[in-house]
Amino acid sequence: MVNKYLFLAYAFTWLIFILYVWNLSRRQARLRKELEDLKRKISEPFSASTSRESKP
Amino acid sequence: MKKKFPISVHLALTLAALFVALYMIFLYAPEEMTMGEVQRIFYIHVPAAWTALLGFIIIFVSSIVYLWKRSQFADELASSTAEVGFIFCTSVLVTGPLWAKPAWGIWWTWDARLTLTFLLWLLYVAYLMLRNYLINPARAANLCAVVGVIGFVDVIIDYMAIRWWRTQHPQPVIGGGPNSGLDPRMLATLLVSWVAFVFLFFLLLRVRLGLAQMRRELGDIRHILAFRASED
C-alpha cells in the first residue's frame, strides 16, 4: 500500500504540470489561429492592389 | 538553435530523463530509516525548489540585461521564465506540506526557509500580475524588471536560510558542512531527478518563449493593419 502523502505529492505535482502544458497548448493554438487570420487579412488587399496595378 | 537542438529531441530527452528519474526514485533509491517511503517526496520537492531558484536567477540576469540594453528578447525571456518558475515554485509549496505533515506532524510553520520560499512564490505572483494587468507594455516591462532585480535578494536569503539559522526545515544535505551528506544511491537519484526537472523547465520555457514571440508577431501585424486602415 502506497503512503497517501507520497501518492498525493506525486499526483499533485504531475497534475500541476499537465494542467500547465494543456494551458500552453490551448494558448498556442489560439495565437496560431489568430496569426493565420491576420496574415490572410494582410495579404488579401495587397494581392488585390497588385493585380489592379498589373492591368494595362 | 532550432537546427542544433530541435524541440522534438528536447522532448524525447526530457521524457527519457523523467522515466529514469521515476525508476530511480521508486526502485533504486533505498528507503530512509526514520521516515520510510514518504521520504521519496524529497526527490521531487528538492529538485523543484532548486529549479524554482534557478528560474529566478534567470529572471534576475535577464531583467538586468533588459534594463541595461532594452533588449526585447531579455524581457520576453524574463516574463516566460516567471511563468514556468511559478509552476515549479507551486509544486514546492504543494509537496512541502505533504511531506511536513507525516514528518513533523504539522502542515506548515513560519520558519525562515518556509516563509522565504512562500515569499519567492509571492514574488512570482507579483511579477505575473504586473505583467498581465498593466495596460502599458513598456511600463509593465520596466516594473517587472525592477521586481526581478529586487526579488533576487529573496533567492539568496532563501538559499542561505538553513545555513544561517537553525530552522524546522532540515539542514542542507549537500554542501552543508562535514555533518551533511546522503547515501550515494540517494544522491545519484536526487541529481538525476534534478537533471530531469531542468530538462522539463527548459522545454516548457522554449514553448512559452515561442508563445511570446508569436504574440509579438501578432502585434506587428496589427500595427501594419492599423497603419493601412489609417491610410485608407
Side-chain angles (χ1 to χ4, degrees):
Chain A
M1 173 91 184
V2 180
N3 181 292
K4 70 173 178 183
Y5 296 105
L6 180 68
F7 172 77
L8 284 173
Y10 278 81
F12 276 126
T13 298
W14 292 119
L15 184 68
I16 290 166
F17 284 109
I18 288 166
L19 284 176
Y20 182 58
V21 168
W22 176 71
N23 174 271
L24 272 179
S25 66
R26 266 189 58 197
R27 280 192 285 170
Q28 195 176 38
R30 199 179 59 224
L31 277 178
R32 197 166 282 161
K33 188 181 175 303
E34 216 173 314
L35 201 60
E36 294 297 315
D37 288 349
L38 280 177
K39 273 183 180 167
R40 207 172 39 243
K41 232 182 227 179
I42 213 167
S43 63
E44 274 167 9
F46 179 73
S47 54
S49 64
T50 47
S51 61
R52 271 199 306 272
E53 278 166 16
S54 60
K55 278 181 187 172
Chain B
M1 175 76 186
K2 274 182 185 172
K3 278 179 190 168
K4 278 181 188 166
F5 193 33
I7 204 153
S8 53
V9 175
H10 194 159
L11 175 66
L13 280 174
T14 305
L15 291 175
L18 285 171
F19 184 77
V20 173
L22 282 173
Y23 170 81
M24 290 180 81
I25 291 168
F26 290 105
L27 298 170
Y28 175 73
E31 192 166 299
E32 209 266 345
M33 279 192 296
T34 49
M35 282 182 277
E37 64 177 0
V38 79
Q39 182 269 343
R40 291 183 204 275
I41 293 175
F42 168 77
Y43 302 113
I44 48 167
H45 177 73
V46 176
W50 287 351
T51 314
L53 290 176
L54 171 72
F56 220 94
I57 293 170
I58 296 172
I59 294 172
F60 172 69
V61 174
S62 36
S63 295
I64 287 177
V65 172
Y66 173 75
L67 290 172
W68 184 27
K69 302 261 185 189
R70 296 285 154 190
S71 151
Q72 199 166 19
F73 176 75
D75 180 48
E76 284 171 355
L77 179 63
S79 64
S80 302
T81 307
E83 200 177 283
V84 180
F86 167 75
I87 299 299
F88 280 84
C89 202
T90 305
S91 162
V92 177
L93 290 184
V94 169
T95 52
L98 283 166
W99 188 14
K101 181 65 179 167
W104 305 338
I106 47 167
W107 293 102
W108 184 266
T109 179
W110 294 100
D111 90 340
R113 169 49 76 87
L114 274 70
T115 307
L116 287 161
T117 306
F118 181 60
L119 185 62
L120 181 70
W121 185 80
L122 288 177
L123 281 165
Y124 273 121
V125 173
Y127 188 103
L128 293 172
M129 283 177 77
L130 275 176
R131 180 66 62 173
N132 290 310
Y133 293 114
L134 281 182
I135 296 165
N136 184 339
R139 191 171 157 74
N142 279 336
L143 282 173
C144 284
V146 172
V147 170
V149 173
I150 294 172
F152 185 65
V153 176
D154 179 71
V155 172
I156 298 166
I157 304 174
D158 193 8
Y159 179 76
M160 295 306 292
I162 50 175
R163 291 165 175 82
W164 286 343
W165 302 297
R166 185 166 288 279
T167 58
Q168 174 85 33
H169 188 280
Q171 299 299 298
V173 287
I174 297 175
N179 294 326
S180 70
L182 273 178
D183 176 285
R185 283 174 298 168
M186 286 180 166
L187 180 63
T189 306
L190 176 68
L191 294 177
V192 167
S193 188
W194 188 47
V195 167
F197 270 58
V198 169
F199 269 120
L200 179 63
F201 175 84
F202 283 107
L203 178 69
L204 293 173
L205 184 58
R206 278 179 79 168
V207 176
R208 180 60 185 77
L209 258 177
L211 281 190
Q213 282 157 4
M214 217 187 271
R215 201 170 287 152
R216 176 158 35 102
E217 210 177 320
L218 264 175
D220 292 345
I221 295 176
R222 281 203 187 102
H223 269 115
I224 295 170
L225 282 173
F227 179 70
R228 279 193 184 176
S230 67
E231 274 195 329
D232 291 342

